[in-house]
Amino acid sequence: ENNNTDNKYQAIQNLIEFDPKLLLSELFVKFHAADIAEALEEISNERCLTLFQNNPIKDTIEVFVLLTLQKKETLFLSLKDTQKSKFIQEMEADDAIELLNEVQSKIPNTISTLIKKLPKEKAEYLIELLSYEEGTAASIMNKEFISIPRNLTAEQALFRIKKQNPP
């Protein structure tokens, strides 16, 4: 099992090293995003940035959020401000807050600049979450919830959830 895992990560790393313009969508065909993220932990930050810059933001974020906090922080701090804003905009609020809390001491003025570039609703939501003390439940909670009656079938429940259009 462990040898297969190592081989999988090595295969991903080889593909990325061989083709710097590789599309993540090509990797998603064979590998799970978590496996790609694990493999990226051992790849240079420069190569990771090249990979991320050559891919659609949605694909990039799917892998980015699964990296270790240290790798995310390093890569995030290497991005241009416009790229940072796009990353924050595409991330789920809890992932964005975790990252912003981590980098806040290193780029304090930049955080407010980044948030100002976000759509109003997302910016207000992140500002509210950032106002809570780090490490508290309030700082990582998701204020939005879905309510469905107990007596629904799974199919009815899924229909109701989709209709409510959760984030």
Side-chain angles (χ1 to χ4, degrees), residues 3 6-7 9 32 47 53-54 57 60 82 85 98-100 129 150-151 162-163:
N3 198 21
D6 290 343
N7 290 342
Y9 297 150
H32 189 275
R47 182 67 78 186
Q53 290 165 346
N54 289 322
I57 189 78
T60 297
T82 54
S85 289
E98 177 187 44
L99 182 60
L100 290 173
L129 291 177
R150 288 180 184 228
N151 61 341
K162 287 177 185 174
K163 191 174 171 184

Side-chain angles (χ1 to χ4, degrees), residues 12-13 15 34 61 69 80 99 136 161 167:
I12 296 168
Q13 290 166 352
L15 287 168
I61 292 301
L69 189 55
K80 295 177 182 160
L99 182 60
T136 63
I161 290 169

